[in-house]
Amino acid sequence: MRLTNTLSGYQRRWLMSDITAGLVVAALITPQAMAYALLAGMPPQAGLYAALLPVLAYALLGSSPILAVGPVAVIALMTFEALHNVATPGSAEYLSMASALALLTGLWLLLFYLIDLGRWTTFISHSVISAFTSATAILIVVSQLKYITGIPLPGGSSLWQTATHLSNDYPQWQPEAVAIALAALLLLYSWQWLIPKITCRLPLWLSSLLNKAGPLAAVAMGIAVVQAVTPTIATIGELPAGLPVLALPALTIDQWQTLLPAAAVIALIGYLSSLSVAEALAPLPDSTSAANAEPSTPPRLRTNQELLALGIANLAAAINQAFPVAGGFGRSVVNRAAGARTQLASIITVVLVALVCLFASRLFMDLPYAVLAVIIVSAVLPLISFSDARRAWHFQKSDGLVWLTTFTAVLAAGAVDGILLGMVLSLVLYLRRSSEPHIAEIGRVGDSDHFRNVKRHQVTTSTQVLMIRIDENLYFANGQYLEDVIRQRLQSGGHIRHVVLVGSAINHIDFSGFETLQHLLRELRKQHIQLHLAEVKGPVMDQLGKTNLLEELAPGQVFFTASEALRTLADC
């Protein structure tokens, strides 16, 4: 375990950029953290706690200089879904279980680190992640409608139940809550459009700070309205002053077991989403204008190191009375735009958030929940996108089906069950595709040594030699299919005396694949046809060399190339 990015090879000229980025992200994360705690069913201070030790842990161990770790909307919603049925949101038991969920998430991530899961970055398909993100964003928006309208809704209501409650109880909407929410939403979007035009002539650090201060402005507006008008709407009240007391959650064995599956899914989603953000925002080499200076190379993103860093960050969240954390896309974009060069920017953010916890807790006591809800909605609306579904469907119907199924399942059954269904469907469709791989009869192209599919190219073949190429590994799911294809081709007529299995695309053969070759060899011999192999890769030959197949194959041969096989056998 070693420190990365922050302390190693730091250059003094980066300091001002990191300080600026730390200030900007602190201004953004303070209201966001309280809002995401609300989404997770936690008190607002838990969101601030999630922006302390977890952020510091990642800053010291992470391999991305840009990734901003902390409370994230999607993970907050998954936390709520995992806990609201087993404990009352906001209760002491619920807070303890949220910390336990963070602890288990961290342990899962460390287990993934130990088994080197960082190399398996495509464990969940892009279609599943895209559909999950869009559907979860919709669920997040719907979950905040109770604060925007002022209508209490049952905890954990489905999309349909929430829509039904809102439509039936619309006369009970609180006009003050709706008005403040609309004002906050208008302020946020007008801030994004107007402020950059006003601040373009200011110094870069000040311009970045003001451009990203929209959530803080919405918070200030909401507090000012409550203090001036005193409307009858819910506010967060006074936050506990001071830093959290460090402690491990105490639960029963049954409670720990209940949380294990949800923690595993949260760990996977948190890791994959964080990794995708870190890769998308990876900095380019720093080319400097100084004549004698050399450009600096940004740190290389190490996928397995990210598992370690995120795992320790979640363990820190557990002892910090918080909930699971991950890398946030919005904050990471802001971090990079504000000029962050290393994770020192995150350490500065931690210091500023700690000061808020120590000295500014009373400032937020009149903050309306409706404003926090709007901050959440504005943060997740850009995540809703259907373009991936359209592109996946046009490219390959099965990928489009995975997207649609995952999206529908998340909306109907919740985030955890929905993404599990999407993962299972992806696996089933993959096994189906690989169980019926592309198998081609091939022939020689002209007088060359190149061989191509007889259905696609003008090639030369032999009436006595059938050359078959399987474009997939040979394993338990597709062995029978290979035998069926060869059997059908032999039944179509001709005087085939030799079958050559070209293994140029076979990288692995399992035991079932070996048995397929044995069975094929015996079946062909009954028909007085000899089986041969060609272009078998070294690792596959090593596997076959552990068996007696090569002895059984004689007088069949193992040819170095398909060209050699056809030249030799066509003359027999």
Side-chain angles (χ1 to χ4, degrees), residues 44-50 52 238-246 320-321 350 352-362:
Q45 67 269 18
L48 296 176
Y49 298 162
L52 294 175
E238 184 174 354
L239 302 179
L243 300 176
V245 177
L246 304 184
N320 210 39
Q321 299 184 31
V350 170
L352 295 173
V353 174
L355 292 176
V356 170
C357 292
L358 288 170
F359 305 112
S361 57
R362 289 183 57 85

Side-chain angles (χ1 to χ4, degrees), residues 276-426:
S276 64
V277 171
E279 288 177 339
L281 301 179
L284 299 173
D286 175 31
S287 55
T288 175
S289 58
N292 297 325
E294 295 182 359
S296 62
T297 302
R300 182 174 61 88
L301 187 67
R302 298 195 301 279
T303 55
N304 219 47
Q305 178 77 14
E306 289 298 289
L307 283 169
L308 173 65
L310 290 169
I312 299 298
N314 276 281
L315 295 184
I319 66 173
N320 210 39
Q321 299 184 31
F323 50 94
V325 297
F329 181 75
R331 286 196 305 277
S332 299
V333 170
V334 170
N335 198 31
R336 185 180 70 168
R341 305 303 301 270
T342 70
Q343 283 293 333
L344 180 60
S346 293
I347 294 178
I348 292 168
T349 297
V350 170
V351 172
L352 295 173
V353 174
L355 292 176
V356 170
C357 292
L358 288 170
F359 305 112
S361 57
R362 289 183 57 85
L363 291 179
F364 301 103
M365 62 184 301
D366 292 324
L367 174 59
Y369 281 116
V371 172
L372 290 179
V374 167
I375 291 173
I376 293 175
V377 169
S378 64
V380 302
L381 277 179
L383 300 179
I384 303 174
S385 172
F386 299 100
S387 60
D388 281 345
R390 185 170 58 254
R391 290 164 53 208
W393 185 266
H394 287 160
F395 182 78
Q396 186 167 263
K397 295 295 189 292
S398 60
D399 288 334
L401 178 63
V402 168
W403 197 101
L404 182 61
T405 301
T406 305
F407 180 81
T408 305
V410 170
L411 292 181
V416 175
D417 292 340
I419 196 167
L420 286 175
L421 179 61
M423 292 166 59
V424 170
L425 181 60
S426 292

Side-chain angles (χ1 to χ4, degrees), residues 54-302:
V55 179
L56 181 61
Y58 182 84
L60 296 176
L61 295 172
S63 65
S64 168
I66 300 298
L67 188 65
V69 168
V72 178
V74 171
I75 302 301
L77 178 67
M78 295 180 72
T79 299
F80 177 78
E81 287 203 346
L83 301 179
H84 77 271
N85 285 326
V86 293
T88 303
S91 65
E93 182 186 14
Y94 188 95
L95 303 188
S96 182
M97 294 191 77
S99 297
L101 188 64
L103 178 63
L104 290 175
T105 299
L107 292 177
W108 275 114
L109 287 164
L110 292 181
L111 175 62
F112 298 159
Y113 167 75
L114 292 175
I115 64 176
D116 203 14
L117 188 67
R119 297 181 182 182
W120 306 357
T121 55
T122 56
F123 187 74
I124 305 178
S125 73
H126 176 72
S127 294
V128 171
I129 292 294
S130 172
F132 168 79
T133 302
S134 292
T136 304
I138 292 175
L139 289 179
I140 290 172
V141 171
V142 170
S143 72
Q144 298 308 297
L145 293 178
K146 61 184 178 182
Y147 301 109
I148 293 174
T149 63
I151 297 178
L153 297 173
S157 299
S158 67
L159 185 66
W160 175 253
Q161 290 173 328
T162 300
T164 302
H165 277 290
L166 290 175
S167 60
N168 292 338
D169 299 341
Y170 74 89
Q172 301 176 30
W173 287 17
Q174 295 183 10
E176 299 97 331
V178 174
I180 287 181
L182 290 176
L185 191 63
L186 179 63
L187 175 60
L188 284 173
Y189 281 98
S190 60
W191 191 282
Q192 293 176 6
W193 174 75
L194 184 61
I195 296 302
K197 297 182 179 180
I198 298 175
T199 61
C200 59
R201 298 181 182 275
L202 296 176
L204 181 61
W205 69 270
L206 182 57
S207 174
S208 298
L209 183 60
L210 293 175
N211 291 346
K212 306 304 178 184
L216 272 183
V219 166
M221 182 273 296
I223 293 173
V225 169
V226 169
Q227 293 177 344
V229 183
T230 61
T232 56
I233 61 173
T235 59
I236 68 173
E238 184 174 354
L239 302 179
L243 300 176
V245 177
L246 304 184
L248 284 172
L251 299 180
T252 66
I253 296 296
D254 290 341
Q255 288 175 318
W256 285 109
Q257 291 176 343
T258 300
L259 298 179
L260 266 175
V265 177
I266 290 173
L268 269 178
I269 296 302
Y271 168 64
L272 290 174
S273 61
S274 302
L275 189 64
S276 64
V277 171
E279 288 177 339
L281 301 179
L284 299 173
D286 175 31
S287 55
T288 175
S289 58
N292 297 325
E294 295 182 359
S296 62
T297 302
R300 182 174 61 88
L301 187 67
R302 298 195 301 279

Side-chain angles (χ1 to χ4, degrees), residues 59 88 189 207 219 270 282 297 311 325 327 335 345 439 455-457 494 510 515 548 559:
T88 303
Y189 281 98
S207 174
V219 166
T297 302
V325 297
N335 198 31
I439 297 178
K455 295 181 179 180
R456 293 178 177 270
H457 302 273
D510 69 359
E515 290 186 320
N548 59 354
F559 294 98

Side-chain angles (χ1 to χ4, degrees), residues 31-54:
Q32 258 192 5
M34 292 188 289
Y36 293 156
L38 183 71
L39 180 60
M42 304 281 286
Q45 67 269 18
L48 296 176
Y49 298 162
L52 294 175
L53 281 186

Side-chain angles (χ1 to χ4, degrees), residues 444-464:
R444 186 190 302 277
V445 179
D447 296 328
S448 71
D449 288 336
H450 298 291
F451 281 70
R452 294 292 185 268
N453 192 334
V454 298
K455 295 181 179 180
R456 293 178 177 270
H457 302 273
Q458 292 289 336
V459 296
T460 302
T461 60
S462 170
T463 57
Q464 299 183 75

